[in-house]
Amino acid sequence: MTILKITTKHHKHLNNPFPSNPRSLPFIKGTLFFDPQTVPSDQIFSIGKDYQLSWTSKNGGSLSISHQSQPTRPIWSTIPGEAFISAATAETEVDESRGSFVIKDKNVHLICNHQTIEDIRVINQSDISSQVKDQDLTPGYVGVNQEFPVLLITGRVFSVKKKKSRGGVSGISENNWNYVEKEHSVVARYWLLCDQKTSDQVGFQVRLGKPNLQSPQRVSPKFYKGFSRKLGHIRRRPVEWCWLFSRRKGFIRVSSSEEENEVMKATGFAELNRICLTYSSERNERFFGFGEQFSHMDFKGKRVPIFVQEQGIGRGDQPITFAANLVSYRAGGDWSTTYAPSPFYMTSKMKSLYLEGYNYSVFDLTRHDRVQIQIHGDVIEGRILHGNSPSELIEHLTETIGRPPELPRWIISGAVVGMQGGTDNVRRVWDELQSYHVPVSAFWLQDQNRNEYQRPILLKDLIHGTSLMKDWVGQRETVIGSQLWWNWEVDTTRYSGWRQLTEDLSAQRIKVMTYCNPCLAPMHKKPNTRRHLFEEAKKLDILVKDNSGEPYMVPNTAFDVGMMDLTHPHTASWFKQILQEMVDDGVRGWMADFGEGLPVDACLYSGEDPISAHNRYPELWAKINREFVEEWKTARVGKQMEDPEEALVFFMRAGFRDTPKWAMLFWEGDQMVSWQANDGIKSAVVGLLSSGLSGYAFNHSDTGGYCAVNLPFFKYQRSEELLLRWMELNAFTTVFRTHEGNKPASNSQFYTSHKSLSHFARFANVYKAWTFYRIQLVKEASQKGLPVCRHLFLHYPDDEHVHSLTYEQFLVGSEILVVPVLDKGKKDVKAYFPVGESCAWKHIWTQKLYTRQGSEALVEAPIGYPAIFVKDGSVIGETFLDNLRQHDIL
């Protein structure tokens, strides 16, 4: 039986422009059984010192977990009479094409959808100690900081022979399921362990044993005598579990047609490789989070896959998604594709959960009364959070996954100007910015690297156009694409007088920022290259390998590139040397691009499953960059070490659950230069707010968007109006940064005209006017994990209208309300004033007060005067208005 099939479609340039949804495991339903002789009818069990699990046998039996301070308010509960643990054996098929991935469940061979509960047992430390002594196991295997008592539930999941019926088998529809009848039942034991992790979190682990065939009559529950020994195994070897299910698989590479490559793993039927956790939800419950999502805020009614990848081009917006899918396999993406997903959510009912580990998972929220998490593997671990408000839940989440450090003061004090073109161009634009009194914190120079700034055809190439264009440093003729492969070395041809330029900028307290990513291009055919980083990495054996043991070359049109193996112990030190060269050349910040494209058939030094490692890769990428920042800071001595003006910063787009612990700042990747909802300016607001609810405290987007298209029938070009409105939006985000986009000549730029320069100066000063508040919010984020830019749900969770908001408006902290103009030609907006605010909202341009809670108002918002409100009488609001007056903006 083939369990895993991987197909690469990098070179397939004619595809279905309307790809169907990938086949997935159906929603599994089954019955819960328990033996009244071993399981009590009703009982409360302690979990640690702060939590309790309630069991009742009524209506078929159910469980609920609650905090002891609020015993009648469950934070997690099962559905009476229905299985909450189920499992399956299915084949996995992965299609991969240049950073885009589709994971499919095919040929489901077995479903164990019914469940028994054989025992519910509280284990105290004394119980473990006696078992350790009896079993001669190492003391402390339960965990040095374990909060006792812990709770163990044991039982079995099983399938039974059942004839097909018109309605399907065991709750599985015949329309999406090819049920294979078995002569015998299949039974597998499970262990569910619940323990208190912190005062605000309950951990859970579900582990499956090997399935066995047996007769249906033998499925009846019975007490499992060896529970404590199994508990020891569970608690003693969590790392080994991860290794067991992430170890390197035995792949076989075979050829196929249409320039596709397939990697397959064949195995006999031996284990369950899907595990599902099902629990209750309310019909009107809203689900927020899941990392950085660009199309939706509320995910009730949807299946949410958690897998790091390119966000796509269009993501459902037409006609661009049609064109992208046509010329590159699934390059258009869809509403669920994102650079930075997270297996975390919080709900409008103040319930919250996240998964640990890195396996592929799907949160199925399509049923009105339940949630089902489907995991690839036979173990699931996670945490259930307790909190009384969204802000508390974010604090409790980030207490565990990590919080960013305070950003250096310089990066949040003025505009970050994205440019290219050489020293003369930078100086020319700098002079213009000075004449317009634009506060500038940094120049982000994307083309100062002389060795390799080619942008090869990957996802966006055929969409961007097929005519040859100069790359960012003019070193090669190439089609502008989506990835930027690099070798650090200042391009002295374009940036003559680089050192003098950095010194002149530094004298005005302006920093220089640049670019890097984890991919290396071979340079043997490029003359005058002083250092060949690809060859160095190859000799050090720190590149990701293919199945033949050679460096895995990621294909593109002009050449192939290698990726650094971030699991190799020598990679970090080597890469940090490159960063040190950048810093020695005067750089104080950089974009740490990519991290989402690790091939799922790659071979890593760690030996781990590349499908799981794929989700971990962006965390490793952030960690290496962050380690360098901290080491550089520690190495500085005396007064310089205390000088915040000399601090380093990097920003990145790829991420997973724990990336906020390592990354200093995020940006939202490559939005289209459009007004559209799924991949234009509106999606930038949704990504900003959804990521903020998921622990990504500092985020921002490219001002004006990035991706332009200039084809005969598909033209996406940045208009002046779009650029001006995006400036107004980004003046109220953590960082105010410009980008010329992938086609600078096709896009309106901030320096294009007097109007655009004046507008840029105006909103750079608006941005500067609330610097004092931004500093407070950045500090708060580093201490509590709360985002700078906030969905209104964070502060008004009881207002049901707020639950339905997506991109329409947002808060900066708790004191500034932003209602951006996000539609072409619009000169007014509808502002909503939430229920639960004691203060009136003051319109900053007219000083008009809006006092009616739960009401909408049509507010004029011509270009230059977006609808911005502050709380009447607040110190923050009045200080902001005073600063605007000082800059002659009011």
Side-chain angles (χ1 to χ4, degrees):
M1 179 173 63
T2 300
I3 291 295
L4 177 62
K5 176 183 177 182
I6 299 173
T7 306
T8 57
K9 301 188 176 185
H10 305 304
H11 303 296
K12 191 175 181 183
H13 297 314
L14 186 61
N15 304 273
N16 181 358
F18 299 107
S20 60
N21 292 329
R23 293 185 61 183
S24 58
L25 199 67
F27 201 104
I28 298 175
K29 295 176 65 176
T31 304
L32 181 66
F33 300 90
F34 62 92
D35 187 345
Q37 295 182 355
T38 60
V39 179
S41 58
D42 295 274
Q43 190 167 334
I44 296 176
F45 303 86
S46 294
I47 304 175
K49 65 179 182 179
D50 296 315
Y51 293 89
Q52 64 185 36
L53 180 141
S54 299
W55 158 258
T56 178
S57 60
K58 297 177 181 178
N59 301 317
S62 62
L63 304 169
S64 65
I65 296 175
S66 59
H67 196 276
Q68 290 186 5
S69 64
Q70 298 172 306
T72 60
R73 184 201 143 199
I75 58 175
W76 184 87
S77 57
T78 65
I79 301 164
E82 298 195 27
F84 54 90
I85 296 174
S86 53
T89 298
E91 299 177 25
T92 303
E93 184 174 306
V94 183
D95 292 343
E96 176 182 352
S97 178
R98 307 178 185 277
S100 294
F101 301 85
V102 178
I103 300 178
K104 309 172 187 177
D105 294 305
K106 297 191 65 176
N107 300 325
V108 182
H109 296 273
L110 170 68
I111 285 185
C112 293
N113 58 323
H114 302 297
Q115 177 189 356
T116 70
I117 295 179
E118 300 178 2
D119 188 37
I120 305 176
R121 177 74 53 103
V122 170
I123 291 97
N124 293 294
Q125 190 166 18
S126 57
D127 300 326
I128 294 298
S129 300
S130 62
Q131 288 294 326
V132 168
K133 184 175 181 180
D134 293 341
Q135 299 296 333
D136 195 27
L137 299 177
T138 303
Y141 63 89
V142 174
V144 176
N145 299 317
Q146 180 67 54
E147 187 73 53
F148 284 95
V150 300
L151 185 77
L152 180 68
I153 300 176
T154 59
R156 300 176 182 181
V157 293
F158 65 95
S159 66
V160 295
K161 180 179 178 181
K162 187 172 182 179
K163 297 294 184 181
K164 285 188 178 181
S165 65
R166 184 168 298 178
V169 179
S170 302
I172 299 167
S173 171
E174 290 182 352
N175 293 329
N176 58 11
W177 186 256
N178 182 19
Y179 188 81
V180 181
E181 292 189 8
K182 297 290 182 181
E183 183 176 355
H184 298 89
S185 296
V186 177
V187 181
R189 183 164 294 282
Y190 72 84
W191 297 265
L192 167 58
L193 180 73
C194 298
D195 60 337
Q196 181 173 339
K197 297 295 187 182
T198 70
S199 60
D200 307 303
Q201 298 184 18
V202 174
F204 63 89
Q205 303 177 50
V206 181
R207 181 188 176 213
L208 294 177
K210 294 288 184 180
N212 296 311
L213 297 176
Q214 64 182 47
S215 301
Q217 61 268 25
R218 295 178 58 191
V219 177
S220 59
K222 64 180 181 178
F223 176 68
Y224 178 57
K225 299 291 186 181
F227 75 90
S228 56
R229 183 170 181 271
K230 290 295 183 181
L231 173 67
H233 182 69
I234 291 172
R235 298 300 306 182
R236 186 186 179 195
R237 298 174 63 93
V239 176
E240 286 79 358
W241 281 21
C242 295
W243 174 85
L244 177 63
F245 302 115
S246 64
R247 64 185 184 277
R248 178 66 190 160
K249 304 293 192 300
F251 294 114
I252 305 170
R253 181 175 291 278
V254 298
S255 299
S256 68
S257 61
E258 299 178 338
E259 298 186 81
E260 299 176 10
N261 291 319
E262 294 183 355
V263 178
M264 308 175 72
K265 179 197 173 188
T267 182
F269 172 69
E271 61 185 30
L272 296 163
N273 61 4
R274 302 287 190 275
I275 184 168
C276 302
L277 185 67
T278 307
Y279 48 96
S280 66
S281 173
E282 297 181 43
R283 181 184 291 272
N284 63 344
E285 191 169 14
R286 306 285 189 136
F287 283 74
F288 305 102
F290 297 110
E292 184 181 62
Q293 299 286 338
F294 296 102
S295 295
H296 302 285
M297 288 299 304
D298 173 25
F299 291 88
K300 184 74 167 185
K302 303 185 182 304
R303 281 177 57 90
V304 187
I306 306 297
F307 198 71
V308 175
Q309 61 177 306
E310 276 270 3
Q311 71 158 11
I313 309 164
R315 306 182 66 258
D317 292 337
Q318 299 298 351
I320 187 62
T321 305
F322 172 95
N325 286 334
L326 181 67
V327 300
S328 185
Y329 182 76
R330 288 185 177 267
D334 59 37
W335 67 265
S336 68
T337 49
T338 172
Y339 306 108
S342 178
F344 160 83
Y345 68 78
M346 69 171 70
T347 81
S348 57
K349 304 298 182 181
M350 298 306 115
K351 296 179 181 179
S352 183
L353 177 149
Y354 71 89
L355 298 181
E356 298 176 293
Y358 298 91
N359 284 352
Y360 176 67
S361 62
V362 176
F363 287 74
D364 193 327
L365 311 175
T366 57
R367 304 302 195 270
H368 68 85
D369 64 341
R370 66 195 67 196
V371 175
Q372 185 167 100
I373 304 175
Q374 300 175 347
I375 294 284
H376 282 214
D378 63 356
V379 63
I380 179 172
E381 297 184 63
R383 300 194 182 191
I384 301 165
L385 279 62
H386 171 260
N388 295 311
S389 67
S391 57
E392 280 190 12
L393 291 173
I394 292 176
E395 287 185 52
H396 300 161
L397 168 72
T398 57
E399 180 183 6
T400 304
I401 68 168
R403 297 162 181 157
E406 289 188 48
L407 289 170
R409 187 71 54 88
W410 63 263
I411 190 73
I412 58 173
S413 297
V416 177
V417 180
M419 285 200 59
Q420 54 191 309
T423 302
D424 292 343
N425 198 37
V426 171
R427 289 190 179 277
R428 176 184 62 80
V429 172
W430 184 18
D431 288 343
E432 288 185 309
L433 293 172
Q434 289 177 304
S435 67
Y436 279 79
H437 305 290
V438 178
V440 176
S441 65
F443 276 92
W444 176 49
L445 307 178
Q446 307 149 82
D447 64 336
Q448 79 301 333
N449 177 333
R450 72 172 295 178
N451 284 344
E452 196 58 68
Y453 259 23
Q454 174 148 359
R455 295 173 67 78
I457 288 184
L458 288 177
L459 291 179
K460 301 179 175 66
D461 311 337
L462 296 175
I463 302 304
H464 293 164
T466 55
S467 60
L468 292 177
M469 299 180 63
K470 284 286 185 181
D471 67 292
W472 283 9
V473 292
Q475 295 293 318
R476 296 191 185 187
E477 297 285 346
T478 181
V479 179
I480 296 291
S482 69
Q483 295 201 15
L484 189 116
W485 315 110
W486 68 285
N487 283 312
W488 174 260
E489 184 179 328
V490 173
D491 179 11
T492 54
T493 302
R494 300 194 116 197
Y495 284 91
S496 58
W498 168 265
R499 179 62 65 182
Q500 188 62 50
L501 174 64
T502 59
E503 290 177 357
D504 291 347
L505 290 170
S506 180
Q508 298 298 317
R509 306 179 76 84
I510 297 174
K511 306 302 179 187
V512 174
M513 304 179 72
T514 183
Y515 177 99
C516 69
N517 70 44
C519 302
L520 299 171
M523 303 295 295
H524 58 279
K525 294 183 180 179
K526 194 169 180 68
N528 303 321
T529 301
R530 291 184 300 182
R531 186 175 180 185
H532 295 264
L533 298 184
F534 176 87
E535 292 300 326
E536 288 184 27
K538 183 178 179 180
K539 289 179 181 178
L540 290 171
D541 202 32
I542 58 173
L543 295 175
V544 172
K545 291 184 172 58
D546 60 23
N547 287 278
S548 64
E550 296 298 318
Y552 196 120
M553 303 306 295
V554 179
N556 64 84
T557 298
F559 57 89
D560 294 345
V561 297
M563 292 185 68
M564 291 187 291
D565 185 346
L566 303 184
T567 72
H568 196 290
H570 297 156
T571 301
S573 59
W574 179 80
F575 177 68
K576 290 173 187 177
Q577 292 176 2
I578 310 302
L579 293 179
Q580 184 65 55
E581 293 179 20
M582 291 168 53
V583 173
D584 289 345
D585 278 329
V587 171
R588 290 297 178 266
W590 59 93
M591 172 190 282
D593 204 357
F594 299 102
E596 68 272 3
L598 179 70
V600 293
D601 58 340
C603 298
L604 300 173
Y605 176 86
S606 63
E608 61 194 283
D609 179 357
I611 295 181
S612 296
H614 177 91
N615 281 338
R616 193 165 75 96
Y617 194 90
E619 291 185 2
L620 296 175
W621 176 226
K623 184 173 183 287
I624 287 177
N625 282 272
R626 176 67 179 284
E627 285 176 349
F628 173 77
V629 169
E630 298 302 323
E631 290 165 7
W632 184 85
K633 179 180 178 181
T634 302
R636 297 177 64 79
V637 295
K639 183 178 179 180
Q640 287 183 324
M641 187 174 66
E642 303 299 327
D643 184 1
E645 294 300 319
E646 283 300 304
L648 303 180
V649 68
F650 67 93
F651 59 102
M652 57 190 303
R653 73 180 188 186
F656 199 65
R657 178 195 56 247
D658 295 350
T659 308
K661 177 180 180 180
W662 303 108
M664 300 182 71
L665 172 67
F666 290 91
W667 105 98
E668 297 181 66
D670 301 340
Q671 277 74 49
M672 297 293 298
V673 290
S674 81
W675 301 94
Q676 292 179 287
N678 292 298
D679 198 17
I681 188 171
K682 297 179 181 70
S683 72
V685 179
V686 179
L688 181 72
L689 303 182
S690 62
S691 62
L693 292 176
S694 303
Y696 292 60
F698 306 140
N699 206 347
H700 70 293
S701 63
D702 295 333
T703 300
Y706 169 80
C707 186
V709 177
N710 192 21
L711 294 175
F713 301 104
F714 299 100
K715 289 188 182 296
Y716 283 75
Q717 298 175 339
R718 183 195 291 165
S719 68
E720 181 180 72
E721 182 186 2
L722 177 67
L723 176 62
L724 300 187
R725 289 304 195 184
W726 216 312
M727 288 178 185
E728 294 172 3
L729 167 66
N730 280 6
F732 291 93
T733 60
T734 307
V735 171
F736 186 42
R737 180 180 58 83
T738 69
H739 197 313
E740 292 181 318
N742 66 305
K743 286 182 174 293
S746 298
N747 290 330
S748 180
Q749 307 291 350
F750 71 85
Y751 51 75
T752 298
S753 66
H754 169 70
K755 181 178 181 179
S756 59
L757 257 172
S758 298
H759 198 79
F760 182 56
R762 176 177 175 84
F763 281 91
N765 279 292
V766 169
Y767 175 78
K768 184 178 180 180
W770 64 280
T771 298
F772 72 99
Y773 188 37
R774 192 160 51 250
I775 292 170
Q776 293 180 31
L777 295 175
V778 164
K779 184 175 183 179
E780 182 181 45
S782 69
Q783 295 173 345
K784 298 182 178 181
L786 298 179
V788 172
C789 299
R790 303 172 183 177
H791 193 278
L792 270 68
F793 171 67
L794 200 59
H795 291 288
Y796 307 99
D798 296 328
D799 187 334
E800 291 190 2
H801 182 78
V802 162
H803 300 169
S804 64
L805 295 175
T806 54
Y807 51 74
E808 296 85 358
Q809 59 190 72
F810 63 92
L811 292 166
V812 176
S814 60
E815 304 295 311
I816 302 174
L817 178 64
V818 180
V819 189
V821 176
L822 304 176
D823 289 294
K824 181 179 180 180
K826 291 269 291 191
K827 295 182 179 179
D828 52 44
V829 293
K830 281 186 178 180
Y832 176 75
F833 303 100
V835 175
E837 181 52 63
S838 58
C839 300
W841 290 97
K842 180 186 289 187
H843 186 235
I844 67 170
W845 309 116
T846 65
Q847 310 298 300
K848 180 178 179 179
L849 297 180
Y850 293 83
T851 59
R852 185 180 173 187
Q853 296 184 21
S855 67
E856 285 185 332
L858 191 65
V859 180
E860 291 187 359
I863 289 177
Y865 297 88
I868 309 297
F869 306 85
V870 296
K871 289 182 179 179
D872 183 40
S874 76
V875 174
I876 297 296
E878 292 304 318
T879 305
F880 177 42
L881 295 177
D882 288 344
N883 290 343
L884 291 176
R885 294 185 187 99
Q886 290 178 15
H887 289 92
D888 295 324
I889 296 172
L890 284 182

